[in-house]
Amino acid sequence: MRLKARSDGPLKGRVRPPGDKSISHRAIILGALAHGETVVEGLLEAEDVQNTAKAARLFGANVVQGEDNLWRVTGAGSLTQPAETIDCGNSGTAARLLIGAASAFPISARFDGDASLRKRPMNRVIAPLSQMGARFDSPNNRMPLIVHGGKLKGITYRSPVASAQVKSAALLAGLGAEGETVVIEPERSRDHTERMLAVFGADVDQIDIDGVLHPRVRPSTLKGARVYVPADPSSAAFPAAAALIVGKSEVVIEDVLINPLRLGLYETMLEMGAKLTFKERRDPIGEPIADLVINASELTGVSPPLKRAPSMIDEFPILTVLAAFADGETRITGAGELRVKESDRITLMVEGLRACGVEVEELDDGLVVHGRGPKGVRGGAEIRTLGDHRVAMSFLVMGLASKEPIIVDDAHMIATSFPDFANFMAGIGARIEDV
Ligand code: S3P
């Protein structure tokens, strides 16, 4: 499925993006691990999360989509031997968190994924889980792999990468390990697992090591809970960016998760000169939420600090689009993790930006975008996405403000994180259509 985006006047209106993907995966996984019923309101009904729901069923949980935007997960307090391979599709989060959770039980589970997930590194979870006592059949440390779980012991794991998936895999395994499990990261990654574990009654806290707090879990029995899923700030990034670069736009994006460990892009937007305000802040669920008000803005290039990378790791593709419209240079470094996402996002963004007439330099761990500022972006290209949802959405947003329309070669993977993206964007006046 190819999609084309073209400019068509200012974007206006109020919208509520779909539920947060990270929180949705965790709600189902913790629900499956817990005793009793978990009721999830506003779950992201996208392919990645559907794969986690299917996996939870194969591990013995009852997962049903009810009426009124509610999903119900009934767990038995443990994961049971799955009768089939757990197919994680395109989702690294499903794969890494479920491998961690499965490790704690005396079962053998085979995991697989699509062509993109089969290329992504799994040694980053195999290493800590093996230290805890899990065993793996995993040629090349990639999918497909089999995990043999049970009889784990807790560890203090110094992760070489700031990755919430790695941290969560170890913490979920730690729920069933003897002793305590602590994860030390080079920079803090998103903490939804820790926050939600507390809501489910786990023995989780933070330990001070050399003046820095790190998450710790001890063996725990979880109890089903009620979870509310706010709008995903990583999905909100696309209408927000579009409102900034399409002249005279004013858009309100409602009910957005504003966990500080997810806000790197929004901090960077403000540094670029974005007219962006957070209104109606609230915290009903142990996760902060706000409405974002965004007006079209003249942007200036920036160099986000290295330590901000984990809090905007999924937002670099759309940041490079903002950078193309900004005046001056934007230098992104410390973002080597982008090469092992759903695609090599550095290579693909560089290629696509160049095709749209933007001057870019590729670095090992990032890129430098020479913003076009008042000169504007030409566009007028067909973009190769290699089935990467965020690359596709980024170039469609670019097409809304470039002089000539932009086509993305394959938009079907957008459904992994943002179902109905084109219609959603049409709700604020954007023209994105099939070609
Ligand atoms: C996620 C963590 C991040 C992010 C991914 C979702 C999560 O991955 O890129 O989209 O829900 O834990 P890493 O842990 O690999 O950085």
Short mmCIF file of all heavy atoms in Angstrom, two decimals, residues 73-123:
data_model
loop_
_atom_site.label_atom_id
_atom_site.label_comp_id
_atom_site.label_asym_id
_atom_site.label_seq_id
_atom_site.Cartn_x
_atom_site.Cartn_y
_atom_site.Cartn_z
N VAL A 73 -8.00 -9.10 30.98
CA VAL A 73 -6.98 -10.15 30.98
C VAL A 73 -7.10 -10.90 32.30
O VAL A 73 -7.07 -10.29 33.36
CB VAL A 73 -5.56 -9.52 30.90
CG1 VAL A 73 -4.50 -10.61 30.78
CG2 VAL A 73 -5.46 -8.54 29.74
N THR A 74 -7.29 -12.22 32.19
CA THR A 74 -7.35 -13.00 33.44
C THR A 74 -6.18 -13.96 33.46
O THR A 74 -6.05 -14.82 32.58
CB THR A 74 -8.68 -13.78 33.53
OG1 THR A 74 -9.73 -12.87 33.21
CG2 THR A 74 -8.89 -14.32 34.92
N GLY A 75 -5.31 -13.76 34.44
CA GLY A 75 -4.12 -14.60 34.55
C GLY A 75 -4.29 -15.61 35.67
O GLY A 75 -5.21 -15.51 36.48
N ALA A 76 -3.38 -16.58 35.71
CA ALA A 76 -3.44 -17.60 36.76
C ALA A 76 -2.24 -17.47 37.69
O ALA A 76 -1.94 -18.37 38.46
CB ALA A 76 -3.48 -18.98 36.13
N GLY A 77 -1.52 -16.36 37.59
CA GLY A 77 -0.37 -16.16 38.47
C GLY A 77 0.90 -16.78 37.93
O GLY A 77 1.96 -16.69 38.55
N SER A 78 0.82 -17.42 36.77
CA SER A 78 2.04 -18.00 36.17
C SER A 78 1.81 -18.18 34.66
O SER A 78 0.67 -18.17 34.21
CB SER A 78 2.35 -19.37 36.79
OG SER A 78 1.26 -20.24 36.57
N LEU A 79 2.88 -18.34 33.92
CA LEU A 79 2.77 -18.63 32.48
C LEU A 79 2.92 -20.14 32.31
O LEU A 79 3.76 -20.76 32.96
CB LEU A 79 3.86 -17.90 31.69
CG LEU A 79 3.90 -16.37 31.82
CD1 LEU A 79 4.95 -15.79 30.85
CD2 LEU A 79 2.54 -15.74 31.57
N THR A 80 2.11 -20.71 31.43
CA THR A 80 2.17 -22.17 31.23
C THR A 80 2.81 -22.48 29.86
O THR A 80 2.95 -21.59 29.01
CB THR A 80 0.76 -22.78 31.30
OG1 THR A 80 -0.07 -22.08 30.37
CG2 THR A 80 0.18 -22.66 32.69
N GLN A 81 3.16 -23.74 29.69
CA GLN A 81 3.85 -24.18 28.47
C GLN A 81 3.00 -23.85 27.22
O GLN A 81 1.89 -24.36 27.08
CB GLN A 81 4.09 -25.69 28.56
CG GLN A 81 4.68 -26.33 27.33
CD GLN A 81 6.11 -25.84 27.07
OE1 GLN A 81 6.91 -25.71 27.99
NE2 GLN A 81 6.41 -25.53 25.83
N PRO A 82 3.50 -23.02 26.31
CA PRO A 82 2.71 -22.74 25.11
C PRO A 82 2.74 -23.93 24.14
O PRO A 82 3.76 -24.60 24.00
CB PRO A 82 3.40 -21.52 24.50
CG PRO A 82 4.79 -21.53 25.06
CD PRO A 82 4.77 -22.28 26.35
N ALA A 83 1.62 -24.14 23.46
CA ALA A 83 1.53 -25.27 22.53
C ALA A 83 2.13 -24.91 21.18
O ALA A 83 2.38 -25.79 20.35
CB ALA A 83 0.07 -25.66 22.36
N GLU A 84 2.32 -23.62 20.94
CA GLU A 84 2.84 -23.18 19.63
C GLU A 84 3.95 -22.16 19.82
O GLU A 84 4.11 -21.60 20.90
CB GLU A 84 1.74 -22.41 18.86
CG GLU A 84 0.60 -23.21 18.37
CD GLU A 84 -0.50 -22.27 17.88
OE1 GLU A 84 -0.21 -21.14 17.42
OE2 GLU A 84 -1.67 -22.68 18.00
N THR A 85 4.63 -21.86 18.70
CA THR A 85 5.62 -20.78 18.69
C THR A 85 4.93 -19.45 19.00
O THR A 85 3.82 -19.19 18.54
CB THR A 85 6.27 -20.70 17.29
OG1 THR A 85 7.01 -21.89 17.08
CG2 THR A 85 7.18 -19.51 17.15
N ILE A 86 5.60 -18.62 19.80
CA ILE A 86 5.09 -17.28 20.09
C ILE A 86 5.57 -16.37 18.96
O ILE A 86 6.78 -16.12 18.83
CB ILE A 86 5.68 -16.77 21.44
CG1 ILE A 86 5.41 -17.76 22.58
CG2 ILE A 86 5.15 -15.37 21.76
CD1 ILE A 86 3.97 -17.98 22.93
N ASP A 87 4.63 -15.91 18.15
CA ASP A 87 5.00 -15.06 17.01
C ASP A 87 4.87 -13.59 17.42
O ASP A 87 3.76 -13.10 17.63
CB ASP A 87 4.07 -15.37 15.83
CG ASP A 87 4.44 -14.56 14.60
OD1 ASP A 87 5.40 -13.73 14.69
OD2 ASP A 87 3.79 -14.73 13.56
N CYS A 88 5.99 -12.92 17.53
CA CYS A 88 5.98 -11.52 18.00
C CYS A 88 5.84 -10.54 16.84
O CYS A 88 5.89 -9.32 17.05
CB CYS A 88 7.25 -11.23 18.79
SG CYS A 88 7.38 -12.27 20.25
N GLY A 89 5.70 -11.05 15.61
CA GLY A 89 5.52 -10.17 14.46
C GLY A 89 6.67 -9.19 14.33
O GLY A 89 7.84 -9.59 14.28
N ASN A 90 6.36 -7.89 14.34
CA ASN A 90 7.35 -6.83 14.13
C ASN A 90 7.88 -6.25 15.45
O ASN A 90 8.70 -5.35 15.47
CB ASN A 90 6.66 -5.71 13.32
CG ASN A 90 7.61 -4.67 12.75
OD1 ASN A 90 7.54 -3.49 13.08
ND2 ASN A 90 8.51 -5.09 11.89
N SER A 91 7.38 -6.79 16.58
CA SER A 91 7.54 -6.08 17.85
C SER A 91 8.71 -6.55 18.72
O SER A 91 8.67 -7.62 19.33
CB SER A 91 6.25 -6.21 18.66
OG SER A 91 6.42 -5.60 19.92
N GLY A 92 9.73 -5.71 18.83
CA GLY A 92 10.84 -5.96 19.73
C GLY A 92 10.40 -5.95 21.19
O GLY A 92 10.91 -6.71 22.01
N THR A 93 9.46 -5.08 21.52
CA THR A 93 8.99 -5.01 22.91
C THR A 93 8.29 -6.31 23.30
O THR A 93 8.56 -6.88 24.36
CB THR A 93 8.03 -3.82 23.10
OG1 THR A 93 8.66 -2.64 22.61
CG2 THR A 93 7.67 -3.62 24.55
N ALA A 94 7.38 -6.79 22.42
CA ALA A 94 6.71 -8.05 22.72
C ALA A 94 7.76 -9.14 22.93
O ALA A 94 7.73 -9.88 23.92
CB ALA A 94 5.76 -8.43 21.58
N ALA A 95 8.71 -9.23 22.02
CA ALA A 95 9.70 -10.30 22.08
C ALA A 95 10.52 -10.23 23.36
O ALA A 95 10.59 -11.19 24.13
CB ALA A 95 10.63 -10.21 20.87
N ARG A 96 11.10 -9.07 23.62
CA ARG A 96 12.07 -9.02 24.73
C ARG A 96 11.37 -9.10 26.08
O ARG A 96 11.87 -9.76 26.99
CB ARG A 96 12.94 -7.77 24.57
CG ARG A 96 13.73 -7.82 23.25
CD ARG A 96 14.86 -6.81 23.22
NE ARG A 96 15.64 -6.89 21.98
CZ ARG A 96 15.62 -5.97 21.02
NH1 ARG A 96 14.88 -4.88 21.13
NH2 ARG A 96 16.38 -6.13 19.93
N LEU A 97 10.22 -8.47 26.23
CA LEU A 97 9.53 -8.55 27.52
C LEU A 97 8.99 -9.95 27.77
O LEU A 97 9.08 -10.48 28.88
CB LEU A 97 8.39 -7.52 27.60
CG LEU A 97 8.79 -6.15 28.18
CD1 LEU A 97 9.88 -5.47 27.36
CD2 LEU A 97 7.59 -5.23 28.31
N LEU A 98 8.43 -10.56 26.73
CA LEU A 98 7.86 -11.90 26.93
C LEU A 98 8.95 -12.95 27.17
O LEU A 98 8.76 -13.89 27.94
CB LEU A 98 7.00 -12.29 25.73
CG LEU A 98 5.65 -11.56 25.65
CD1 LEU A 98 5.03 -11.70 24.25
CD2 LEU A 98 4.67 -12.10 26.71
N ILE A 99 10.09 -12.78 26.52
CA ILE A 99 11.20 -13.73 26.77
C ILE A 99 11.61 -13.62 28.24
O ILE A 99 11.84 -14.62 28.92
CB ILE A 99 12.39 -13.44 25.81
CG1 ILE A 99 12.02 -13.83 24.38
CG2 ILE A 99 13.64 -14.21 26.26
CD1 ILE A 99 13.03 -13.38 23.32
N GLY A 100 11.69 -12.39 28.74
CA GLY A 100 12.02 -12.19 30.16
C GLY A 100 10.99 -12.82 31.07
O GLY A 100 11.32 -13.56 32.00
N ALA A 101 9.71 -12.56 30.78
CA ALA A 101 8.64 -13.09 31.65
C ALA A 101 8.64 -14.62 31.62
O ALA A 101 8.53 -15.27 32.67
CB ALA A 101 7.29 -12.55 31.18
N ALA A 102 8.82 -15.20 30.43
CA ALA A 102 8.77 -16.67 30.29
C ALA A 102 9.94 -17.33 31.03
O ALA A 102 9.81 -18.47 31.51
CB ALA A 102 8.79 -17.07 28.81
N SER A 103 11.08 -16.62 31.12
CA SER A 103 12.27 -17.20 31.74
C SER A 103 12.05 -17.63 33.18
O SER A 103 12.75 -18.50 33.69
CB SER A 103 13.41 -16.16 31.77
OG SER A 103 13.80 -15.86 30.49
N ALA A 104 11.08 -17.00 33.84
CA ALA A 104 10.89 -17.27 35.27
C ALA A 104 10.14 -18.58 35.52
O ALA A 104 10.03 -19.01 36.66
CB ALA A 104 10.12 -16.11 35.90
N PHE A 105 9.63 -19.21 34.45
CA PHE A 105 8.78 -20.40 34.65
C PHE A 105 9.44 -21.65 34.06
O PHE A 105 10.20 -21.55 33.09
CB PHE A 105 7.41 -20.16 34.02
CG PHE A 105 6.72 -18.98 34.66
CD1 PHE A 105 6.79 -17.72 34.10
CD2 PHE A 105 6.06 -19.14 35.88
CE1 PHE A 105 6.20 -16.63 34.71
CE2 PHE A 105 5.46 -18.05 36.50
CZ PHE A 105 5.53 -16.79 35.91
N PRO A 106 9.12 -22.83 34.60
CA PRO A 106 9.75 -24.07 34.13
C PRO A 106 9.10 -24.54 32.82
O PRO A 106 8.45 -25.59 32.76
CB PRO A 106 9.48 -25.06 35.27
CG PRO A 106 8.23 -24.55 35.92
CD PRO A 106 8.21 -23.06 35.74
N ILE A 107 9.24 -23.74 31.80
CA ILE A 107 8.66 -24.04 30.49
C ILE A 107 9.72 -23.80 29.42
O ILE A 107 10.74 -23.14 29.68
CB ILE A 107 7.43 -23.15 30.19
CG1 ILE A 107 7.81 -21.64 30.28
CG2 ILE A 107 6.28 -23.45 31.14
CD1 ILE A 107 6.67 -20.69 29.92
N SER A 108 9.46 -24.33 28.22
CA SER A 108 10.32 -24.04 27.07
C SER A 108 9.45 -23.36 26.04
O SER A 108 8.44 -23.95 25.61
CB SER A 108 10.90 -25.33 26.48
OG SER A 108 11.75 -25.92 27.43
N ALA A 109 9.80 -22.16 25.66
CA ALA A 109 8.96 -21.41 24.72
C ALA A 109 9.79 -21.01 23.51
O ALA A 109 10.92 -20.51 23.65
CB ALA A 109 8.38 -20.18 25.40
N ARG A 110 9.21 -21.24 22.32
CA ARG A 110 9.91 -20.86 21.09
C ARG A 110 9.34 -19.52 20.64
O ARG A 110 8.12 -19.33 20.57
CB ARG A 110 9.69 -21.93 20.02
CG ARG A 110 10.44 -21.66 18.73
CD ARG A 110 10.35 -22.88 17.79
NE ARG A 110 11.17 -22.68 16.61
CZ ARG A 110 10.78 -22.02 15.53
NH1 ARG A 110 9.57 -21.50 15.46
NH2 ARG A 110 11.60 -21.89 14.49
N PHE A 111 10.23 -18.56 20.33
CA PHE A 111 9.83 -17.23 19.90
C PHE A 111 10.30 -16.99 18.48
O PHE A 111 11.41 -17.37 18.11
CB PHE A 111 10.48 -16.16 20.79
CG PHE A 111 9.85 -16.04 22.16
CD1 PHE A 111 10.23 -16.88 23.18
CD2 PHE A 111 8.88 -15.08 22.41
CE1 PHE A 111 9.65 -16.77 24.45
CE2 PHE A 111 8.30 -14.96 23.66
CZ PHE A 111 8.69 -15.80 24.68
N ASP A 112 9.45 -16.31 17.71
CA ASP A 112 9.85 -15.95 16.34
C ASP A 112 9.24 -14.58 16.01
O ASP A 112 8.43 -14.04 16.78
CB ASP A 112 9.36 -17.02 15.36
CG ASP A 112 10.18 -17.04 14.08
OD1 ASP A 112 11.04 -16.15 13.88
OD2 ASP A 112 9.96 -17.95 13.25
N GLY A 113 9.63 -14.04 14.85
CA GLY A 113 9.10 -12.75 14.45
C GLY A 113 9.21 -12.58 12.95
O GLY A 113 9.62 -13.51 12.25
N ASP A 114 8.87 -11.40 12.46
CA ASP A 114 8.92 -11.17 11.01
C ASP A 114 10.38 -10.93 10.57
O ASP A 114 11.31 -11.01 11.39
CB ASP A 114 7.97 -10.04 10.60
CG ASP A 114 8.43 -8.67 11.08
OD1 ASP A 114 9.55 -8.55 11.64
OD2 ASP A 114 7.68 -7.69 10.89
N ALA A 115 10.56 -10.64 9.28
CA ALA A 115 11.93 -10.53 8.75
C ALA A 115 12.72 -9.44 9.47
O ALA A 115 13.92 -9.60 9.73
CB ALA A 115 11.86 -10.24 7.25
N SER A 116 12.05 -8.34 9.84
CA SER A 116 12.74 -7.25 10.54
C SER A 116 13.16 -7.70 11.94
O SER A 116 14.31 -7.54 12.35
CB SER A 116 11.82 -6.02 10.59
OG SER A 116 12.05 -5.24 11.72
N LEU A 117 12.24 -8.31 12.67
CA LEU A 117 12.56 -8.73 14.05
C LEU A 117 13.63 -9.82 14.07
O LEU A 117 14.46 -9.87 14.98
CB LEU A 117 11.27 -9.20 14.74
CG LEU A 117 11.35 -9.45 16.25
CD1 LEU A 117 11.92 -8.26 17.01
CD2 LEU A 117 9.99 -9.82 16.81
N ARG A 118 13.64 -10.67 13.03
CA ARG A 118 14.66 -11.72 12.96
C ARG A 118 16.06 -11.15 12.81
O ARG A 118 17.04 -11.85 13.09
CB ARG A 118 14.37 -12.65 11.78
CG ARG A 118 13.31 -13.69 12.10
CD ARG A 118 13.11 -14.58 10.91
NE ARG A 118 12.28 -15.73 11.27
CZ ARG A 118 12.26 -16.86 10.60
NH1 ARG A 118 13.01 -17.02 9.53
NH2 ARG A 118 11.48 -17.84 10.97
N LYS A 119 16.16 -9.90 12.36
CA LYS A 119 17.49 -9.30 12.21
C LYS A 119 17.95 -8.60 13.48
O LYS A 119 19.10 -8.18 13.60
CB LYS A 119 17.44 -8.22 11.10
CG LYS A 119 17.34 -8.78 9.72
CD LYS A 119 17.75 -7.68 8.72
CE LYS A 119 17.20 -8.02 7.36
NZ LYS A 119 16.33 -7.02 6.78
N ARG A 120 17.04 -8.37 14.43
CA ARG A 120 17.39 -7.51 15.57
C ARG A 120 18.10 -8.29 16.68
O ARG A 120 17.84 -9.48 16.89
CB ARG A 120 16.12 -6.82 16.08
CG ARG A 120 15.55 -5.92 15.00
CD ARG A 120 14.28 -5.24 15.41
NE ARG A 120 14.48 -4.32 16.50
CZ ARG A 120 13.49 -3.66 17.09
NH1 ARG A 120 12.24 -3.84 16.69
NH2 ARG A 120 13.75 -2.82 18.07
N PRO A 121 19.03 -7.63 17.39
CA PRO A 121 19.85 -8.34 18.38
C PRO A 121 19.04 -8.81 19.58
O PRO A 121 18.30 -8.03 20.18
CB PRO A 121 20.88 -7.29 18.80
CG PRO A 121 20.26 -5.97 18.48
CD PRO A 121 19.36 -6.20 17.30
N MET A 122 19.20 -10.07 19.93
CA MET A 122 18.53 -10.60 21.12
C MET A 122 19.54 -10.92 22.23
O MET A 122 19.14 -11.22 23.35
CB MET A 122 17.74 -11.87 20.76
CG MET A 122 16.53 -11.58 19.91
SD MET A 122 15.32 -10.57 20.81
CE MET A 122 14.63 -9.62 19.47
N ASN A 123 20.85 -10.82 21.89
CA ASN A 123 21.85 -11.10 22.93
C ASN A 123 21.71 -10.15 24.10
O ASN A 123 22.04 -10.47 25.23
CB ASN A 123 23.27 -11.06 22.36
CG ASN A 123 23.52 -9.88 21.46
OD1 ASN A 123 22.57 -9.36 20.84
ND2 ASN A 123 24.74 -9.41 21.37
#
